[in-house]
Amino acid sequence: MDQTADARDAVAGLIGNYTVPDGVADEMIGPDGRVRPVWQPFIERFAQLAPDDIARRFARGDRYLRDAGVFFRQSTGDGPADRDWPLSHLPVILDETEWLGIADGLVQRCEVLEQVLADLYGPGWLVREGMLPPELVAGNPGWLRPLVGERPPSGRFLHFVAFELGRAPDGSWFVLGDRTEAPSGAGFALENRVATMRVFSEPFGHQSIHRLAGFFRAFRSALERSATSLDGRMGILTPGLGTETYFEHAYIARYLGLMLLEGEDLTVVDGRVMVRTVAGLKPVSVLWRRLDSAFADPLELDERSALGTPGLVRALRDGNVCMANALGAGLVQSRAFLAFLPRIARYLTGESLKLPNLATWWCGQARERDYVAANLERMMVGDAMSQDLPFEADGAQLIAGRFRDGRTVDPAAWVQAQKGAVVGQEAVTLSTTPVYADGALHARPVMLRVFAARTNAGWKVMPGGYARIGGSADATALALRRGGRVADVWIVSDRELERETLTDSSGPFRRAKDSLLPARAADNLLWLGRYVERAETMVRLLRAYHLRLAETGRTDDLRVARIDAHLRRLGVPRDVSTPGAVTTALDAAIRAASKVRDRFSIDGWVALETLRHDIVEEVEAVQAGDEAARALSQFLRGSAGFAGLVHDNMYRFVGWRFLSIGRALERALSMVRTLRDFAAPDAPEGCYDIAIEMGDSVMTHRRRYQIETNRNTVIDLLALDNRNPRSVRFQVAQIHAMAAELPGAEENGALSPVMRAAMRIDTRLATAEPAEMDGRALDALARDLTDLSEKITATWLV
């Protein structure tokens, strides 16, 4: 049998039990019951894979997502919890010709929504002419009265828009919802693409799949033009780590080379938006807003907001900052607007919408309310001002005539009583797409989220997006928090496409300027270094504890008791046999790294996560004594790997210096405390060796001092030796050298307070004799180092 026949048999076996519900369109199977031509090459190759190969490929994609730190943040009763990103590994595949029609309809829709916003914040003809009921504007929480009459500095309200799309049973596409406030998902679309391409590498050809980089390049170019015209920089304005889409904000910021900014990073001075950086206040001209409009300015919008920047609305009025999207743009994504948009489109453009939206009836009008009440069995009824989709968890209160919460109130009477507070929408019948589970393909409901960006050449639609797929056949289970999954979307051409990248190589080469480092990011990098070093110090102490415990088997051994007392002073939990303090320090390090994900490498993130895993899985599970000591030694080797990543791989920009200063500060303070306890005159016999061990300097001590270990040799090597990378003096010299490269280290020939403080400490250590470094001197040194830390904070981090 030839290869073509083999392929046909394999495909037939794969889709033989694939069942599409009656009256439902399917993305893979056409109306004629055959595999759509655009799916055929993919399905033929997939059908040839053995189950073990499929499992390995899926695991490869999942591993990439875990290593990259892609997760879904879900709110629980105990606060936000991170879940594995729910990738459905098979892509959704669409033909380029069909996609061009979709894109054309979305560009038209973008222009209509832009004109609607321009009118509602301007002359208001739509309300005057009866195109929109006034209560849908004046009573809408998305309508911001302080911005009425204000034209955005860019002249446009919309710059980046998302749309939810579904396919009807007849195969046509329709719009389920518009996302104009602060659309999320573009970064997740990129990560879905990377993970899916790792799953379906060879023999799956990718030459005919449209890439996403050109879309982002065009959008960034448009932002750059606005920034140049306003003489400032670009940033992404995020609510911060607590939001469920924070990873995406960080990923996009890193991908596009934009600053990731929170409201506290910004201040408004004389009508200009400025970012607090380690080099002082610097102007920002373009903000890609991922923060809800109402939270942007507590002075003029929501006074309860702790996420915004006071004075931001004034900067917009003065024309000094371009906001993408403009504040108040979320007005038109309210569900009730779908009831009026088709008529508005004809009024504004003289044309019908090329892509119809979900049939919607606003119940503030008697005829429409009566119609909804009489047809509840095929309706979804929900809040008119809501921005949720009707089938999402909070999107509808009534589905097919039944209350979601089980209420027994008469549904028709309830609709009549609600009046304009609710809308009725046609019950959704979504198309299905294949998912692979338990060795077979299953049809699951699917919808697409598609993105459009305003570029220098007009609106551009991303050639793809991401699909949301139901966790079951129930169309109401598409939400991720209800078991839904996501998938990449491939737009496939019948020709080989040129490879696109984010970089435009057509112009002359220009070396990029160093990016500004916000003070908040610098603070997190500094504490990231401190927390990692703190965890390593704890591990060295715990290893010393378990090694002595293994030697004597007695917890009352004087050396063991001294380590125990030292750990107590450092705040280690009562049971020193478990590394709880280490996990606390690592958790703090991971939190700090999470806040600078746009500036922190994937390898560094994976190394941190691995360290945390090793402590929990490898160390806490072993017995005290020698076994625990060996596990702790393994952790130290992993910590050395993290330090190597930082030292060898990180670009020597300002952020690296703060990370390194943090490690040096913590190491110096930890060593001073170690010497204070283990090199004290009253320290039990053997404690000098513990200090040398803590400083990872056993071999160095043997080679440098041909005498028995004593207090002078310990102090000399671990406090005063400028060539020992574990000594206090070495760390102070490192801090001094790196601080000298930071902005403001010297002003008009005068050293900054940080430089003077570091130089004084270094001079004192350079001229000290070991015998002079008694307990009082070590205490003074610890105070000086703490004072140096405070000066660093006061100079650069506030």
Side-chain angles (χ1 to χ4, degrees):
M1 187 176 291
D2 61 26
Q3 186 176 6
T4 303
D6 286 342
R8 282 200 301 266
D9 289 343
V11 170
L14 181 66
I15 67 172
N17 295 317
Y18 185 74
T19 303
V20 179
D22 292 337
V24 174
D26 186 77
E27 298 305 320
M28 181 179 68
I29 305 297
D32 58 0
R34 298 180 180 180
V35 175
R36 296 179 189 268
V38 71
W39 277 82
Q40 192 72 39
F42 176 85
I43 287 297
E44 287 182 359
R45 294 184 179 103
F46 187 76
Q48 299 291 331
L49 300 178
D52 288 347
D53 190 12
I54 293 174
R56 281 193 298 270
R57 287 170 177 268
F58 285 9
R60 190 162 63 209
D62 293 340
R63 184 167 56 250
Y64 164 76
L65 292 169
R66 285 194 300 271
D67 289 348
V70 185
F71 56 82
F72 166 60
R73 176 159 291 162
Q74 182 174 359
S75 297
T76 66
D78 299 324
D82 295 341
R83 302 282 185 264
D84 289 342
W85 186 242
L87 180 68
S88 183
H89 303 88
L90 269 62
V92 176
I93 305 177
L94 298 174
D95 182 81
E96 178 186 49
T97 302
E98 182 179 25
W99 186 256
L100 290 175
I102 293 172
D104 186 45
L106 294 181
V107 168
Q108 179 206 39
R109 199 172 183 92
C110 287
E111 292 293 353
V112 170
L113 292 172
E114 173 68 36
Q115 291 184 52
V116 172
L117 285 168
D119 178 78
L120 295 180
Y121 282 102
W125 286 109
L126 292 175
V127 172
R128 292 181 189 178
E129 295 295 319
M131 294 292 108
L132 268 175
E135 54 265 48
L136 287 187
V137 180
N140 195 312
W143 191 55
L144 303 183
R145 292 176 184 272
L147 292 167
V148 174
E150 301 294 338
R151 188 73 176 170
S154 67
R156 303 291 185 176
F157 286 84
L158 296 177
H159 301 264
F160 198 88
V161 184
F163 302 94
E164 315 286 2
L165 303 183
R167 191 194 288 272
D170 64 1
S172 64
W173 290 90
F174 61 96
V175 176
L176 290 158
D178 306 302
R179 299 293 189 228
T180 57
E181 176 64 83
S184 63
F188 290 129
L190 279 170
E191 284 289 32
N192 288 343
R193 173 60 57 89
V194 175
T196 304
M197 289 302 186
R198 295 204 177 189
V199 173
F200 298 110
S201 52
E202 293 303 325
F204 295 85
H206 299 154
Q207 294 82 6
S208 61
I209 302 171
H210 279 270
R211 294 175 176 267
L212 307 182
F215 170 82
F216 287 100
R217 184 180 68 242
F219 181 53
R220 185 179 66 180
S221 177
L223 294 180
E224 286 173 344
R225 173 180 288 188
S226 297
T228 301
S229 65
L230 294 174
D231 190 28
R233 294 168 174 81
M234 304 181 294
I236 292 180
L237 182 59
T238 174
L241 188 60
T243 183
E244 63 183 20
T245 53
Y246 178 79
F247 166 82
E248 187 213 355
H249 304 170
Y251 180 84
I252 287 288
R254 183 169 61 234
Y255 183 71
L256 297 181
L258 306 180
M259 291 185 291
L260 186 63
L261 303 171
E262 298 182 23
E264 65 181 283
D265 294 325
L266 303 174
T267 186
V268 177
V269 180
D270 296 329
R272 290 297 308 268
V273 179
M274 313 292 283
V275 57
R276 297 181 176 93
T277 78
V278 296
L281 296 177
K282 300 295 181 181
V284 176
S285 296
V286 175
L287 289 172
W288 184 3
R289 177 176 59 82
R290 309 304 298 274
L291 176 73
D292 285 351
S293 295
F295 298 142
D297 185 347
L299 282 183
E300 299 203 47
L301 301 176
D302 189 340
E303 64 183 13
R304 299 165 298 176
S305 173
L307 302 175
T309 303
L312 199 55
V313 170
R314 178 194 167 185
L316 287 167
R317 288 199 188 100
D318 292 346
N320 292 327
V321 63
C322 172
M323 190 82 76
N325 289 331
L327 293 181
L331 168 66
V332 294
Q333 76 179 37
S334 298
R335 193 183 299 163
F337 271 77
L338 294 176
F340 300 92
L341 203 62
R343 184 183 175 200
I344 289 173
R346 288 191 295 272
Y347 174 80
L348 293 174
T349 69
E351 297 179 343
S352 297
L353 290 173
K354 297 176 182 179
L355 276 183
N357 52 240
L358 183 65
T360 304
W361 296 266
W362 179 57
C363 294
Q365 298 161 306
R367 185 175 64 177
E368 284 76 5
R369 183 167 63 251
D370 291 343
Y371 179 82
V372 171
N375 293 275
L376 287 175
E377 71 282 353
R378 59 187 187 88
M379 290 279 178
M380 297 175 287
V381 181
D383 182 3
M385 301 302 180
S386 173
Q387 299 174 354
D388 290 324
L389 294 178
F391 50 81
E392 290 182 327
D394 301 319
Q397 293 162 278
L398 271 170
I399 295 180
R402 295 175 181 271
F403 282 99
R404 242 181 176 163
D405 59 9
R407 276 179 287 174
T408 57
V409 178
D410 177 43
W414 180 83
V415 168
Q416 293 288 353
Q418 293 298 308
K419 295 185 178 180
V422 297
V423 294
Q425 294 184 290
E426 185 178 13
V428 177
T429 301
L430 295 174
S431 62
T432 55
T433 194
V435 300
Y436 184 83
D438 301 322
L441 294 180
H442 305 272
R444 293 289 181 263
V446 61
M447 54 160 282
L448 306 186
R449 173 166 287 195
V450 183
F451 304 92
R454 188 183 295 279
T455 72
N456 296 330
W459 284 100
K460 185 179 180 68
V461 176
M462 180 192 290
Y466 78 86
R468 289 169 57 185
I469 300 174
S472 66
D474 181 6
T476 66
L478 269 72
L480 300 192
R481 57 184 176 270
R482 301 192 65 201
R485 304 187 70 79
V486 297
D488 190 17
V489 178
W490 291 1
I491 308 304
V492 177
S493 175
D494 57 4
R495 68 191 192 283
E496 187 170 319
L497 301 170
E498 293 184 8
R499 181 173 181 177
E500 288 194 274
T501 66
L502 188 63
T503 304
D504 184 0
S505 58
S506 60
F509 170 78
R510 291 180 300 172
R511 177 167 288 175
K513 297 179 181 179
D514 286 347
S515 61
L516 293 176
L517 182 66
R520 177 188 53 81
D523 189 45
N524 280 295
L525 285 166
L526 181 137
W527 279 100
L528 169 60
R530 293 197 67 166
Y531 285 132
V532 171
E533 185 64 30
R534 188 171 298 178
E536 183 177 319
T537 297
M538 298 285 187
V539 168
R540 290 185 182 279
L541 283 165
L542 288 166
R543 184 178 66 168
Y545 176 92
H546 286 287
L547 284 172
R548 272 70 189 177
L549 193 63
E551 289 177 13
T552 65
R554 296 174 54 187
T555 56
D556 60 352
D557 178 86
L558 293 179
R559 296 170 303 167
V560 172
R562 178 59 65 111
I563 297 172
D564 183 274
H566 186 77
L567 286 164
R568 298 271 184 268
R569 279 190 285 276
L570 296 180
V572 174
R574 191 69 190 164
D575 183 6
V576 298
S577 64
T578 59
V582 181
T583 56
T584 299
L586 287 175
D587 286 342
I590 290 172
R591 281 196 301 274
S594 297
K595 295 176 182 179
V596 287
R597 285 300 304 274
D598 57 316
R599 299 174 182 272
F600 199 60
S601 72
I602 290 177
D603 287 338
W605 179 263
V606 172
L608 272 180
E609 292 278 10
T610 301
L611 289 175
R612 177 66 168 81
H613 174 271
D614 289 347
I615 280 292
V616 173
E617 300 296 329
E618 305 296 333
V619 178
E620 291 189 350
V622 299
Q623 292 185 347
D626 185 65
E627 190 175 344
R630 285 200 302 271
L632 290 162
S633 295
Q634 180 65 33
F635 173 92
L636 290 174
R637 287 189 282 273
S639 178
F642 174 82
L645 282 171
V646 170
H647 187 270
D648 293 340
N649 296 350
M650 278 189 75
Y651 188 80
R652 267 38 176 182
F653 71 131
V654 176
W656 172 81
R657 294 189 179 94
F658 277 98
L659 178 62
S660 300
I661 286 173
R663 291 208 74 173
L665 266 174
E666 191 67 29
R667 182 171 290 184
L669 279 166
S670 296
M671 184 52 65
V672 171
R673 296 186 187 111
T674 296
L675 294 173
R676 186 68 177 84
D677 275 359
F678 296 100
D682 63 344
E685 184 178 351
C687 281
Y688 294 156
D689 292 327
I690 293 175
I692 296 293
E693 186 180 312
M694 287 290 300
D696 198 21
S697 301
V698 175
M699 292 182 61
T700 304
H701 186 275
R702 288 173 183 167
R703 289 176 177 172
R704 287 211 61 194
Y705 307 100
Q706 302 299 317
I707 57 176
E708 184 178 342
T709 305
N710 60 53
R711 188 177 188 278
N712 284 343
T713 63
V714 172
I715 295 293
D716 185 57
L717 183 61
L718 298 180
L720 308 179
D721 194 326
N722 68 332
R723 292 176 294 177
N724 182 9
R726 290 281 171 178
S727 76
V728 179
R729 187 182 171 198
F730 186 95
Q731 306 310 317
V732 173
Q734 288 286 100
I735 295 169
H736 183 274
M738 285 181 284
E741 299 293 326
L742 294 176
E746 184 176 327
E747 294 289 344
N748 299 321
L751 294 177
S752 69
V754 171
M755 294 293 289
R756 289 198 300 271
M759 188 173 289
R760 280 196 295 266
I761 297 172
D762 185 53
T763 301
R764 191 177 309 124
L765 292 172
T767 57
E769 295 290 339
E772 299 171 9
M773 300 299 294
D774 56 13
R776 182 176 299 177
L778 289 171
D779 288 341
L781 179 57
R783 289 194 297 271
D784 288 343
L785 289 169
T786 301
D787 179 66
L788 176 60
S789 175
E790 293 172 353
K791 283 182 167 61
I792 289 170
T793 298
T795 302
W796 289 297
L797 307 181
V798 295

